[in-house]
Amino acid sequence: MVSSPGSGKTTLLEKTLSDLKGELLIAVVEGDQATLHDAEQIRTTGCEVIQINTGTGCHLEADLLLRGFDQLRLQKSSLLFVENVGNLVCPALFDLGEWAKVVILSVTEGEDKPLKYPHMFRAAQLMLLNKVDLMPSLQFDLDHCFEAASEINPTLKILQVSATT
Amino acid sequence: MVSSPGSGKTTLLEKTLSDLKGELLIAVVEGDQATLHDAEQIRTTGCEVIQINTGTGCHLEADLLLRGFDQLRLQKSSLLFVENVGNLVCPALFDLGEWAKVVILSVTEGEDKPLKYPHMFRAAQLMLLNKVDLMPSLQFDLDHCFEAASEINPTLKILQVSATT
C-alpha cells in the first residue's frame, strides 16, 4: 500500500482486516519514519503486525522487510499487507517482491495527482480513491481524475471507497 | 514551501501572490516530477515563474535551482518562492539556500503528521495548517496537532489558513 501521507492507508487497512477477520491468515508490516502509531492501530484488529521505522529513510526496501519477517509467524497461505512510508514518489521505484502495489489517492489531494506523480500510478495495479464521502465539500473532478489515471496507466483498476463511512 | 502532495501549496501561493501583487517583486520556482500545471496556475497571477521537472527525482536540489535562476529576472529586492516536489520526507534533508522552510499541513492529512514525519517539521520555521474550512467534516484534533508540532519543534510558528475560502 503506497500513497501520500494522510490519504487513509492505515484506516482503510484496519477496516479491511476487520472485515476479513477469521477468513484468512493475515500479517501486516507497517512502515513509517517514526512512531509505533500505525502498528498500534492495526493491532486492535487482532492481526499480527510489526512496525519498521525508517528514520530519515523515505521508503521500505526488500532487505528491511526480510528482517521484519523473522518476527511474524508467516505461513504459506498467509496474506501479507505492507504499508509503505507515506510518500507518493520514492516507494514507486523499489521492488519489495510484492504481488501488487495498491496506490491510495484521497479526493482531498486533487484529481491531477496521477499526472504529477506518474511513476507511482504506473507502478500500481489498483488505485483506491479514498475519502469519497468528502466530495460534496470539494471541487473534485471525478472524470478528470479517471482520465488522468488512465492516461498514465491504461490497465489500472480503480475503486471508490470511504474508509470512515 | 514543502508538504505532502495535495496539501494546497500551489493554491496558497497563488492567493498569496495575488494579495502581494504590486507591493513586491516576486518570482517563483515550481518543482514537480512531471507536468507544467503548477507554473501555469501561478502564471495567471502575473508573476515570473519557471517549472522544474525532476522526473523520477523526489526533491529539488540547490544546483537545479541555480540553473533555473538564469531564466528569471531576479533583483536584489526580489522575493523568491520555491515550491518543492510534494513529499513530506526527502525535501527536509536538502539545503536550497532558502531563508526559511514553510511546511504546509492540511487538516485532511491528520493531526499526527508532525510525529510521523519529524524531520520535515523540525526543518521548518513556519507551519501553515491549511484547509481549516473542512474541519467540521473531519475528526481533527487541533490541540493534539499543536502539541505534536510543538513536541517536534518548540520554536515552530503555526498559522491556520484556508486557501480556498
Side-chain angles (χ1 to χ4, degrees):
Chain A
M1 300 178 77
V2 287
S3 80
S4 304
S7 68
K9 289 186 294 304
T10 316
T11 304
L12 207 50
L13 185 54
E14 183 193 352
K15 303 288 177 188
T16 305
L17 297 176
S18 297
D19 286 354
L20 290 175
K21 206 172 171 174
E23 290 182 43
L24 291 162
L25 201 62
I26 304 177
V28 176
V29 176
E30 286 289 340
D32 263 309
Q33 285 202 298
T35 83
L36 304 176
H37 293 183
D38 287 0
E40 286 161 3
Q41 184 178 344
I42 293 301
R43 196 162 288 127
T44 63
T45 66
C47 281
E48 264 207 305
V49 56
I50 58 157
Q51 178 86 51
I52 296 177
N53 284 149
T54 59
T56 54
C58 55
H59 61 274
L60 293 175
E61 294 192 16
D63 63 332
L64 271 176
L65 271 191
L66 190 61
R67 276 183 269 165
F69 289 175
D70 295 340
Q71 300 168 52
L72 294 169
R73 285 165 298 176
L74 294 174
Q75 299 185 17
K76 274 200 175 173
S77 60
S78 290
L79 181 61
L80 178 69
F81 287 98
V82 179
E83 183 183 335
N84 218 312
V85 178
N87 181 339
L88 205 54
V89 182
C90 311
L93 305 177
F94 293 85
D95 183 358
L96 301 181
E98 71 273 69
W99 181 71
K101 273 189 168 67
V102 178
V103 62
I104 292 91
L105 175 65
S106 64
V107 294
T108 55
E109 296 170 55
E111 60 278 307
D112 61 345
K113 292 300 164 290
L115 299 177
K116 293 176 76 177
Y117 302 84
H119 303 285
M120 187 61 87
F121 289 86
R122 209 168 277 140
Q125 281 75 45
L126 172 67
M127 170 175 139
L128 300 179
L129 186 63
N130 194 22
K131 306 192 187 181
V132 294
D133 55 298
L134 293 175
M135 274 213 271
S137 308
L138 306 169
Q139 289 188 305
F140 184 87
D141 187 333
L142 196 61
D143 289 340
H144 183 177
C145 182
F146 286 166
E147 282 165 24
S150 167
E151 180 182 332
I152 295 298
N153 183 346
T155 63
L156 186 66
K157 290 186 178 68
I158 303 175
L159 296 174
Q160 297 181 53
V161 294
S162 166
T164 56
T165 62
Chain B
M1 301 178 77
V2 286
S3 80
S4 304
S7 66
K9 289 187 294 305
T10 315
T11 304
L12 207 51
L13 185 54
E14 183 193 354
K15 303 289 177 187
T16 304
L17 297 176
S18 297
D19 286 353
L20 290 176
K21 206 172 173 175
E23 291 182 43
L24 291 163
L25 200 63
I26 304 176
V28 176
V29 176
E30 286 289 340
D32 262 311
Q33 285 202 298
T35 82
L36 304 175
H37 293 183
D38 287 359
E40 286 161 2
Q41 185 177 343
I42 293 301
R43 195 163 286 125
T44 62
T45 66
C47 281
E48 265 206 304
V49 55
I50 58 157
Q51 177 85 50
I52 296 177
N53 283 149
T54 59
T56 54
C58 54
H59 60 274
L60 293 175
E61 294 191 17
D63 64 330
L64 270 176
L65 271 191
L66 190 63
R67 275 184 270 167
F69 288 175
D70 295 340
Q71 301 169 52
L72 294 170
R73 286 164 298 177
L74 294 175
Q75 299 184 18
K76 274 199 175 175
S77 60
S78 290
L79 181 60
L80 178 69
F81 287 98
V82 179
E83 184 183 334
N84 218 312
V85 178
N87 181 339
L88 204 53
V89 182
C90 312
L93 305 177
F94 293 85
D95 183 359
L96 300 181
E98 71 274 69
W99 182 71
K101 274 189 167 70
V102 178
V103 63
I104 291 92
L105 175 65
S106 64
V107 294
T108 54
E109 296 170 55
E111 60 279 305
D112 61 345
K113 292 300 164 288
L115 300 176
K116 293 174 77 177
Y117 301 84
H119 303 285
M120 186 61 89
F121 290 86
R122 209 167 277 141
Q125 282 74 46
L126 173 66
M127 170 175 139
L128 300 179
L129 186 63
N130 194 23
K131 306 192 187 180
V132 292
D133 56 297
L134 292 176
M135 273 212 273
S137 309
L138 306 170
Q139 289 187 306
F140 185 85
D141 187 333
L142 197 60
D143 290 338
H144 184 177
C145 182
F146 287 167
E147 282 165 24
S150 167
E151 180 181 332
I152 295 300
N153 183 346
T155 64
L156 186 66
K157 290 185 179 67
I158 303 175
L159 295 174
Q160 297 181 52
V161 294
S162 165
T164 56
T165 62

